[in-house]
């Protein structure tokens, strides 16, 4: 072993990266030891690799996946700092959404703690009786992508609203003609990779720069509808009421389901949020 070869144990101590993590980074090609003893299998690193190890540690601490870390390291090697900045901006947006979600959870728990004698009343939910509605075609501005509900819905709503309120679209007198809505295209609940579409009914000549946004027409549907009052995390009560109603009345349901948001969680308490759930149906 030469003087500048650092055994994995010592390298782990110097970088505060576990040996398990170092072996993973080796397999992923992120931090490959300069030398591997073919007889013992021991890994040896060099002093310049300490900096690489610290970069990986910092990126993972900031919440980047190993695939993203690899892309960031490649971009740095190529001097492509625009890619690095874009990645950082995306991560900042994700973190802000996560912080907002955690703050909402904090508010719910604080309310529960203040009413310890009536804890479950904090989570009471109200759902109207189901009704059949004939919903006409809707011209909407839409954007669709896959992600988690907590992060992706809020992100897409912000992007859609920003587009409509842009100076050019305001000069063109673009108007919203209904509440913003979430369309779920999955047949089952997904923690990650959910197929999410946000749509906002609009009128006027709309200018759209984002290539993943589109102006489209949602088809007319016959749907069972309920109005749910309460925090977003309890909206399942509305779906349960519709599913029960459909089963009782021998109806078949279809995706995508729709959630229409009538007020803003930044402006009203969570218990006063109003959400209409619509699910397309037809007689079996």
């Amino acid at each position: 072993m030469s003087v500048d070869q650092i055994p994995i144990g010592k390298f782990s101590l110097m970088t505060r990266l576990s040996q398990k993590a170092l072996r993973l980074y080796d397999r992923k090609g992120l931090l490959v030891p300069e030398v591997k003893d073919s007889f013992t299998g021991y890994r040896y690193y060099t002093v310049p690799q300490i900096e690489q190890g610290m970069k990986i540690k910092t990126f993972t601490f900031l919440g980047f996946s190993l695939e993203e870390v690899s892309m960031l390291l490649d971009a740095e090697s190529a001097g492509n700092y625009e890619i690095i900045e874009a990645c950082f901006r995306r991560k900042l947006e994700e973190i802000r959404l996560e912080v907002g979600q955690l703050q909402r959870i904090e508010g719910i728990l604080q309310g529960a703690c203040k009413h310890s004698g009536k804890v479950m009343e904090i989570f009471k939910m109200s759902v109207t009786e189901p009704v059949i509605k004939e919903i006409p075609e809707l011209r909407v501005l839409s954007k669709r992508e896959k992600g988690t509900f907590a992060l992706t819905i809020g992100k897409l709503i912000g992007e859609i609203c920003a587009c409509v309120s842009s100076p050019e679209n305001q000069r063109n007198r673009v108007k919203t003609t209904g509440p913003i809505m979430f369309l779920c295209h999955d047949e089952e609940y997904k923690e990650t990779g959910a197929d999410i579409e946000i749509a906002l009914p609009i009128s006027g000549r709309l200018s759209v720069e984002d290539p993943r946004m589109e102006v489209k027409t949602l088809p007319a549907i016959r749907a069972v509808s309920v109005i749910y009052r309460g925090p977003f995390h309890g909206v399942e009560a509305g779906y349960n009421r519709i599913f029960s109603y459909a089963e009782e009345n021998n109806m078949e349901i279809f995706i995508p389901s729709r959630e229409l948001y009538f007020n803003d969680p930044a402006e009203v308490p969570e218990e006063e949020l109003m959400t209409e759930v619509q699910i397309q149906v037809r007689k079996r």
Side-chain angles (χ1 to χ4, degrees):
M1 179 179 69
S2 64
V3 175
D4 64 342
Q5 289 180 4
I6 306 169
I8 188 171
K10 187 175 181 181
F11 191 80
S12 171
L13 184 63
M14 295 169 71
T15 58
R16 296 297 191 268
L17 291 167
S18 70
Q19 293 190 38
K20 180 179 179 181
L22 289 171
R23 292 187 182 97
L24 175 61
Y25 300 159
D26 181 8
R27 292 196 300 273
K28 295 286 186 179
L30 294 173
L31 186 56
V32 179
E34 284 291 334
V35 177
K36 289 183 186 178
D37 189 301
S38 58
F39 181 71
T40 64
Y42 290 166
R43 293 168 167 85
Y44 297 97
Y45 297 83
T46 58
V47 171
Q49 289 186 297
I50 295 174
E51 182 180 354
Q52 185 85 337
M54 297 311 297
K55 289 176 182 176
I56 295 171
K57 183 176 182 179
T58 300
F59 287 144
T60 54
F61 170 76
L62 293 174
F64 290 104
S65 67
L66 293 185
E67 289 72 20
E68 290 170 324
V69 170
S70 178
M71 181 178 63
L72 288 165
L73 293 174
D74 289 344
E76 184 192 29
S77 297
N80 195 336
Y81 296 102
E82 291 182 359
I83 290 179
I84 296 174
E85 182 179 354
C87 286
F88 274 44
R89 289 187 182 279
R90 280 198 303 271
K91 180 57 65 176
L92 179 59
E93 186 176 352
E94 291 175 7
I95 293 300
R96 284 172 173 165
L97 290 169
E98 289 178 3
V99 168
Q101 175 71 0
L102 290 172
Q103 288 174 337
R104 289 191 289 273
I105 293 172
E106 180 186 30
I108 294 170
L109 293 175
Q110 284 178 340
C113 291
K114 289 177 182 178
H115 301 83
S116 57
K118 300 179 179 179
V119 171
M120 296 314 295
E121 290 188 10
I122 300 295
F123 304 99
K124 276 190 174 178
M125 299 165 289
S126 63
V127 181
T128 61
E129 287 298 310
V131 296
I132 301 291
K133 296 178 72 171
E134 301 293 341
I135 300 168
E137 289 184 344
L138 289 172
R139 179 175 180 259
V140 299
L141 174 62
S142 164
K143 187 170 182 180
R144 181 174 173 179
E145 66 181 51
K146 293 187 177 181
T148 61
F149 289 100
L151 297 179
T152 306
I153 290 177
K155 180 177 81 72
L156 294 183
I157 287 176
E159 292 171 356
I160 291 280
C161 292
C163 177
V164 171
S165 61
S166 71
E168 181 177 359
N169 285 324
Q170 289 305 294
R171 285 194 298 271
N172 291 339
R173 298 185 179 181
V174 172
K175 305 279 187 189
T176 61
T177 58
I180 200 158
M181 68 182 75
F182 153 54
L183 288 77
C184 181
H185 292 272
D186 294 309
E187 294 185 351
E188 61 181 358
Y189 175 75
K190 293 182 178 179
E191 289 282 353
T192 58
D195 192 352
I196 294 167
E197 180 179 4
I198 295 298
L200 179 63
I202 48 97
S203 65
R205 182 167 57 87
L206 193 75
S207 173
V208 181
E209 295 184 359
D210 187 338
R212 294 185 297 162
M213 279 187 196
E214 63 174 328
V215 176
K216 60 186 282 189
T217 299
L218 296 181
I221 62 171
R222 186 170 193 259
V224 178
S225 165
V226 299
I227 304 293
Y228 160 77
R229 181 176 180 271
F232 290 139
H233 64 79
V235 74
E236 292 83 3
Y239 284 90
N240 290 340
R241 188 69 187 90
I242 290 176
F243 293 151
S244 297
Y245 178 87
E247 186 66 28
E248 292 165 4
N249 291 274
N250 197 32
M251 292 177 171
E252 189 176 1
I253 62 175
F254 299 90
I255 59 171
S257 60
R258 301 180 183 181
E259 291 180 16
L260 283 66
Y261 304 126
F262 292 110
N263 45 18
D264 187 339
E267 298 176 355
V268 301
E270 285 200 320
E271 60 271 17
E272 295 179 15
L273 291 172
M274 303 290 288
T275 305
E276 180 178 1
V277 181
Q278 300 174 349
I279 300 182
Q280 185 177 357
V281 295
R282 73 180 177 199
K283 278 288 188 181
R284 287 194 177 100

